[in-house]
Amino acid sequence: MNRQHPLDDAFRDKLQGLTTETPMHLWEQIDQKRNWKHRFLNQIRHYRPFATVLASMAAAGVALLLWNNQQPTLTAFPVLATPHQPQIALRAAATPSVTKTIEQHKETESTAFANTSRPAARSPQSTLYISDEPSVIAVPKATVAQSAAIATQQSTQQLASAVLDYSKTEANPLATAEQTTLAVPASVLPKPAHEAALPGIAAVYEREQKALLPALFNPEPKCAQFGNGNWGIYVDLMVSPDLAFSDLEARNANFEDYAKSRRETESFVFAYSGGVRLSLEAANGLAFRTGINYSQVNEKFTYFNGTERREITEPVRDNQGNIIGYDTIVTVGERYKVSRNTYRMLDIPFIVGYEMDMGKFGLSVNGGAYLNLLFRQSGDFLSPETLTPTPLNPEDPNSVSVFKRQAGVGYYGSVALTYATKSGLELLIEPHFKMFPNSVTQDQFAVQQRHMNAGIFMGIRKHL
Amino acid sequence: MRYTRHRMEAEDILQDAFVKVFDNIHKFQFKGSFEGWIRRIVINTALKNYSKKSFQQEQIGLENQPEYSTEPESYKNLEQEEMLRLINQLPEGYRVVFNLYAIEGYSHKEISDMLGIQESTSRSQLVKARKMLQGMIVKIQKIAV
């Protein structure tokens, strides 16, 4: 309690315990202000680092789920059956172009059935193949079958005769070779019409229906390998030597000298960063990246602690070892307090990039934000009040609360070059910069301190 | 009321401060006085409204205030409302430092930390605040006589 002046005492005695009645509407306003939205946002703020990590993980999970559920399209990955396969392998999505192809083919097919008892070979203009086995067309979709049925209705008689031929040659070994294909009756006419016209087709129909289900779950071994759709997931593991720049700016003219003293006593030594990054890359080159990044800046704090004078008195002896006098050696030196300061940051990057493929090499341009989760420091710095060394570590009982616990949001930019090796890994080199525009010191502290890093990430990239 | 010029402003500060109290009540560790904790929050909320420039600007141009000789007994005759009115007439920087030092009992070092100013600034603001208050009290006494 400060009791140096009678004026202070007089005012304190009368005003310290002074209370005024708080109006009721104020409590109602406080209650209204602390509605569910405010409370929710307050909880989010309180658990912000954990919420950010959880949100990132959830986003990555959803992205992975969507990527896994993507249906491959034939336009992107056409499937060709080999000509020697003894079955008709028609694999087509129900797209207009494919349907048209089927209809074109039907004319050829009809002609073939009319001219010979065995189905003709594949149409040269189409990707639809016809095997030696008659009357069986393998299609994956009922819609395609129906479309084909309409197209073939005009050649019902020819088809019927072909099926009759088939029923006579049912023991043909070729006829049983197509068990692993996706198959539905080639006679895609409405079932009752066939049954009426052709006694054998019912058996064929029934047999192929049984083959359909196993075939769906056991794809043909020679089936073309589908890719991952339009997205690729990569994981990057990288480390970087960094150059760190710390900007110290006085909050007002009163602290210019202090800021200057800080600049003189603190010097950069080395810095590094490293992290793991998950990239989601689209076929068009667009990439989204996130992960976790750790960076550390090491500085040297040198404080001139004044001069020190040392006097050493040594005896002077004669030849017999007797002391004949004393010499006084005076040493004057400077005393310094030297500390190693560290600033550690843990960030979550949110980066958008554009990938350019150049054969074995890949080039990408990236930019985005770094969300700082933790900002910690240790070492010493000059106290603004006494200009003497004070601990930086907030856990130290002698430290002054100077730094924020989080550095906020920073900017990130980089250009990355990758090289694909034979082992399936890509080597990565990525010059980058990172800058946090907000001061890491408390709002009322004497100086504003901002951090910026620049370095070259080196690491590996793996396609998952 | 001692940190503001108007009742409405004081109510706004009190409202913001109590929202902060409710939001951060889980952080109170029962190590000190609960009243002191709330008081600190209210004061910090009130101080947020002041710009540091006000402390520098008020240092300039008010150096040559005349010395007033007042008897300590004369302070005791002042009523609470009168004292409040006098404090509210002080420039912003003076008022804040005087409140923090004389009434709340903070040291100059604590005030300099809270306001982000130097200790010497806090001291000079206090001295000038006292001088100004003494001058106002003398005027009141002259009018009364």
Side-chain angles (χ1 to χ4, degrees):
Chain A
M1 196 62 74
N2 308 302
R3 291 183 181 278
Q4 290 101 359
H5 201 281
L7 184 77
D8 298 355
D9 290 341
F11 273 79
R12 182 171 51 247
D13 290 344
K14 288 204 174 174
L15 296 181
Q16 198 174 37
L18 177 67
T19 55
T20 54
E21 194 178 340
T22 310
M24 283 309 292
H25 71 85
L26 200 61
W27 300 114
E28 288 166 10
Q29 284 174 2
I30 291 170
D31 196 42
Q32 282 173 5
K33 200 167 182 181
R34 294 193 76 250
N35 55 19
W36 67 268
K37 194 176 174 184
H38 173 87
R39 288 176 197 176
F40 177 73
L41 289 174
N42 188 51
Q43 288 291 319
I44 293 280
R45 269 196 295 275
H46 184 231
Y47 296 106
R48 186 168 50 190
F50 305 103
T52 310
V53 171
L54 280 177
S56 302
M57 289 171 70
V62 169
L64 197 63
L65 195 68
L66 290 174
W67 171 67
N68 280 337
N69 286 343
Q70 271 195 329
Q71 293 297 326
T73 58
L74 265 181
T75 50
F77 299 95
V79 177
L80 297 177
T82 51
H84 62 269
Q85 278 182 286
Q87 70 269 9
I88 297 168
L90 170 64
R91 295 172 188 254
T95 59
S97 60
V98 175
T99 308
K100 190 177 175 184
T101 306
I102 294 169
E103 286 170 354
Q104 285 173 349
H105 174 74
K106 285 300 168 190
E107 293 173 11
T108 312
E109 188 184 27
S110 302
T111 310
F113 278 128
N115 293 340
T116 174
S117 61
R118 298 173 70 82
R122 64 187 172 93
S123 166
Q125 288 86 18
S126 111
T127 57
L128 180 140
Y129 299 88
I130 300 173
S131 75
D132 293 339
E133 183 179 4
S135 75
V136 177
I137 299 174
V139 290
K141 306 272 187 186
T143 52
V144 177
Q146 285 162 4
S147 173
I150 294 163
T152 52
Q153 251 176 340
Q154 295 168 351
S155 58
T156 304
Q157 294 304 319
Q158 292 89 337
L159 188 62
S161 62
V163 174
L164 282 172
D165 285 346
Y166 166 74
S167 63
K168 291 174 185 172
T169 59
E170 199 172 9
N172 187 345
L174 286 175
T176 57
E178 80 301 351
Q179 292 297 323
T180 57
T181 63
L182 293 171
V184 295
S187 167
V188 286
L189 288 169
K191 192 177 172 185
H194 274 278
E195 283 175 347
L198 310 165
I201 198 165
V204 174
Y205 184 91
E206 193 176 341
R207 192 188 68 190
E208 297 305 332
Q209 278 289 80
K210 283 177 185 170
L212 179 62
L213 279 178
L216 282 173
F217 295 102
N218 298 295
E220 173 188 346
K222 289 181 181 178
C223 176
Q225 290 293 312
F226 285 93
N228 292 328
N230 292 324
W231 293 92
I233 293 188
Y234 298 83
V235 63
D236 300 344
L237 191 65
M238 53 203 189
V239 291
S240 164
D242 288 346
L243 277 175
F245 308 95
S246 181
D247 176 37
L248 284 166
E249 184 188 345
R251 285 206 190 258
N252 60 52
N254 287 341
F255 299 114
E256 286 293 353
D257 289 343
Y258 171 66
K260 189 180 171 194
S261 302
R262 284 279 306 272
R263 287 186 209 109
E264 287 170 355
T265 52
E266 293 167 20
S267 57
F268 170 73
V269 181
F270 71 96
Y272 61 87
S273 55
V276 181
R277 210 166 57 183
L278 205 64
S279 297
L280 193 62
E281 291 183 11
N284 61 6
L286 198 64
F288 301 97
R289 311 184 202 282
T290 188
I292 193 91
N293 189 81
Y294 173 81
S295 58
Q296 181 169 324
V297 178
N298 293 276
E299 290 183 349
K300 185 178 168 187
F301 170 75
T302 310
Y303 174 70
F304 175 61
N305 208 5
T307 55
E308 188 172 301
R309 177 190 167 96
R310 283 185 189 170
E311 286 187 10
I312 302 169
T313 304
E314 290 182 347
V316 181
R317 300 174 188 274
D318 62 10
N319 292 338
Q320 281 76 41
N322 301 318
I323 297 173
I324 56 171
Y326 290 91
D327 272 347
T328 302
I329 302 165
V330 178
T331 311
V332 179
E334 294 177 335
R335 180 173 280 277
Y336 289 93
K337 176 182 172 60
V338 179
S339 306
R340 176 63 54 84
N341 290 356
T342 58
Y343 297 96
R344 299 181 297 278
M345 298 174 96
L346 194 65
D347 308 307
I348 293 185
F350 294 97
I351 299 168
V352 178
Y354 183 73
E355 295 274 347
M356 288 161 276
D357 193 11
M358 298 180 293
K360 279 194 165 189
F361 289 94
L363 185 70
S364 69
V365 184
N366 306 290
Y370 262 48
L371 179 67
N372 182 254
L373 292 182
L374 297 170
F375 177 66
R376 298 288 183 270
Q377 55 292 137
S378 61
D380 293 298
F381 78 116
L382 282 183
S383 161
E385 284 86 26
T386 59
L387 292 180
T388 53
T390 310
L392 273 170
N393 187 352
E395 273 84 46
D396 192 310
N398 297 320
S399 71
V400 184
S401 177
V402 172
F403 291 98
K404 296 173 182 169
R405 307 290 282 176
Q406 280 111 20
V409 178
Y411 306 126
Y412 178 86
S414 73
V415 176
L417 184 69
T418 56
Y419 174 76
T421 63
K422 288 179 181 174
S423 60
L425 290 175
E426 291 180 30
L427 302 178
L428 171 78
I429 186 161
E430 184 171 329
H432 67 277
F433 77 90
K434 181 178 71 169
M435 186 177 73
F436 284 88
N438 294 330
S439 172
V440 293
T441 54
Q442 299 283 358
D443 292 341
Q444 293 183 341
F445 187 63
V447 294
Q448 293 179 312
Q449 187 170 341
R450 297 180 184 87
H451 286 278
M452 180 182 160
N453 284 26
I456 302 176
F457 274 126
M458 289 169 285
I460 51 173
R461 175 172 289 179
K462 170 81 177 160
H463 189 187
L464 297 178
Chain B
M1 287 290 289
R2 283 183 278 115
Y3 290 90
T4 59
R5 291 187 195 277
H6 312 289
R7 189 178 178 85
M8 290 290 285
E9 194 184 343
E11 286 182 5
D12 287 346
I13 288 171
L14 192 66
Q15 183 183 326
D16 290 347
F18 266 88
V19 169
K20 277 185 197 170
V21 167
F22 287 127
D23 286 349
N24 296 288
I25 202 156
H26 59 279
K27 292 181 185 170
F28 181 66
Q29 296 175 339
F30 298 96
K31 285 181 180 172
S33 152
F34 185 60
E35 185 191 338
W37 183 70
I38 292 178
R39 179 187 290 270
R40 182 83 187 213
I41 289 176
V42 175
I43 290 172
N44 283 338
T45 309
L47 295 182
K48 271 188 122 181
N49 292 339
Y50 299 112
S51 63
K52 279 160 220 78
K53 278 184 182 173
S54 62
F55 296 95
Q56 295 159 40
Q57 286 164 354
E58 284 162 11
Q59 273 186 294
I60 304 162
L62 292 166
E63 302 292 333
N64 299 320
Q65 286 191 14
E67 292 284 340
Y68 297 99
S69 59
T70 49
E71 293 296 323
E73 289 301 314
S74 61
Y75 307 140
K76 292 178 182 171
N77 298 328
L78 293 169
E79 294 296 323
Q80 281 182 333
E81 288 74 22
E82 207 161 20
M83 282 182 164
L84 265 181
R85 189 175 55 78
L86 292 178
I87 287 178
N88 284 338
Q89 285 176 12
L90 289 174
E92 196 171 87
Y94 294 6
R95 187 172 72 242
V96 172
V97 172
F98 184 79
N99 268 320
L100 290 172
Y101 185 89
I103 298 171
E104 310 292 354
Y106 288 108
S107 68
H108 286 298
K109 187 178 183 310
E110 288 169 321
I111 294 170
S112 65
D113 287 343
M114 288 162 79
L115 299 176
I117 59 175
Q118 287 185 336
E119 271 188 69
S120 57
T121 309
S122 174
R123 284 179 205 282
S124 66
Q125 300 268 301
L126 178 68
V127 170
K128 288 166 190 167
R130 281 177 185 154
K131 276 185 188 175
M132 208 165 172
L133 283 171
Q134 283 172 334
M136 289 190 280
I137 292 167
V138 166
K139 278 182 190 172
I140 291 169
Q141 286 172 342
K142 279 181 183 174
I143 292 166
V145 170

